[in-house]
Amino acid sequence: MSFKPGVVYPVNPATTRGSSTKLSASKDKIAYTNGRTVIIRDLKNPSDVIANSGHVHNATVARISPTGYYCASADTAGNVRIWDIVGEDQTLKGEYKVLAGRVNDLEWDGESKRIIAVGDGRDKFGHAFMFDTGSSTGEIMGHNKTINAVSIRHQRPFRAATGADDSTIVFHQGAPYKYVKTIKTHTKFVQDVKYAPSGERFASVGADAKIFIYDGKEGETLTEFTEGGHGGTIFACSWSPDSTTLATASADCTVKLWDVETGKATTTWKLGSSVDYHQLGIVWTPGDDIVSVSLFGDLNVFDKRTGDKPTKILQAPVKPITTAVTTAKDTFLAGTADGRILSFSGTEYSVVEGQGHSTIISGLVAGPDGNVFSTALDDQVKEVDVSGNTFIQAKYSTASQPRSLALTSDSTLFIAEIAAIEAIRSNQKVHELKPAYTPSSIAASGSIVAVGGEDAKVRLYEWDGNGLSLKEVGVLEGNKALVSALAFSPDGALLASGDSSGKIVLFNVKDRTTITTRWSFHSARVNTLAWTADSQHCASGSLDTHVYIWSVQKPVKNIAIKNAGPGGVNAVFWLGEKRVGSAGADGCVRTWDVTFHA
């Protein structure tokens, strides 16, 4: 048995209300961060995605070098990592501790040799260094508060501009970089500074909703854009490839394009009116796409010729994926830690519309009619109309906190809760069992319901759909800790039971006997189990970040997909006979093409 990595379906940028989100671009690719993961994705080719999780702390900014060979990414602890993006191994070129605190922004020079990183620190707020050795190449000084942005002129003679929370811009010349002067045009925080690709000018935007243009070589203030301005903080700006137009993103939920010669807004895109539509970041790619990010994580792609709305909105999870379920061959639903459920089909996600959940999704189960039932830690059970991609309005409130869901052949939904097991039909409770143990997981096949407990035992119950009764018919023992995941094989003959110590036991359901206890390679809690359609192989995902694929016929053999999900794997699911998907703490879905043993 072997595997090879397939497509990665990436997470969207992490955002924070009131602070700028850094997006960058190289050709048709854009780069951004979410948690400890750096994402580089191609807008024209959705299957071309790099997800790098090398940072120990949360990453804040990523920028691709002008040569296109390297990416420099920085984190909240002041570290900058430079790594190769051409090879598959993403080899680390260098890692440097440049500041005492968070790095807010960094920039490459035009020769891809020097980097300036800026942010929060004790003795300094910025550092200029060589990318290959880490040795200093000048001083970034002149600010007395956190620096939010930096931009370097890509032509010689090199110049650099930094904007900070002290409402000033400092102009440097280099290399080596040294202080030239302080520019006091803004009255509030400076959120972003950007050099035009031509190097002739640079722009600054800030919390005072003002936009200024300066001379690129001398740093003289040339003009302020006053006509048709923004009504709130401007978080970011970006220049067109031909250096004639400036794009800005603002908290007034708009993205504007400005003609630099006339100083007038030529295009305004209004994305919404609520806080969720604050525009926190923007980048104009060399491929001539304009991409902005909304507060709730959507990436809006604009065409400068289309003036009414985005040409495309890229939706994706922005928080960890907590559970997922396959609905068709290449289609799945993913539940996230912020209560959203997203449907994936083809090459992109779409958020399930309607009145959803408000917190962590704890369970998803697909019904025979194609609809999916969901439950979350908000103690609600809801139904998703998959074909319409909406929540059905009816809902059911559980008696205690729900942990997982299972569906019997007569379409009765069983909910494993901390204090009870409830059975519902059409959002009406038809049965309730209050066991002496604490249920931790549940699965069903036909009329058999298996409930895993915190006492490391699995109870089997027979469900009588006519008499509406649940009768205990057996107890399966063999797990060593809390039973965290259960899954019946599609033919109903086998039951896999994973526990919080990492052990998986395979039971024969009819005989109530143990088939094997050798599926025990995980070193931490087993979060998820998924069977192939032929009931011959079972995939498991664990907190130890690994995915294993086990064989029923050859219990000693397995496929080990190591480090499949940085931070832990919360969901595995099959996308066809030989492709498995895994998702977890970093919000990305990774697929693997599997070759089974002969």
Side-chain angles (χ1 to χ4, degrees), residues 20 85 120 126 187 223 243 271 286 400 473 540 558 577 592 597:
S20 174
I85 60 173
D120 194 8
T187 54
T223 181
S243 303
L271 285 125
S400 55
V473 292
S540 63
N558 62 64
E577 293 172 16
W592 317 88
H597 289 295

Side-chain angles (χ1 to χ4, degrees), residues 247-270:
T248 54
S250 167
D252 63 4
C253 309
T254 64
V255 168
K256 287 180 185 279
L257 299 186
W258 302 82
D259 185 313
V260 176
E261 292 303 324
T262 63
K264 292 179 180 174
T266 55
T267 308
T268 300
W269 289 289
K270 179 84 173 170

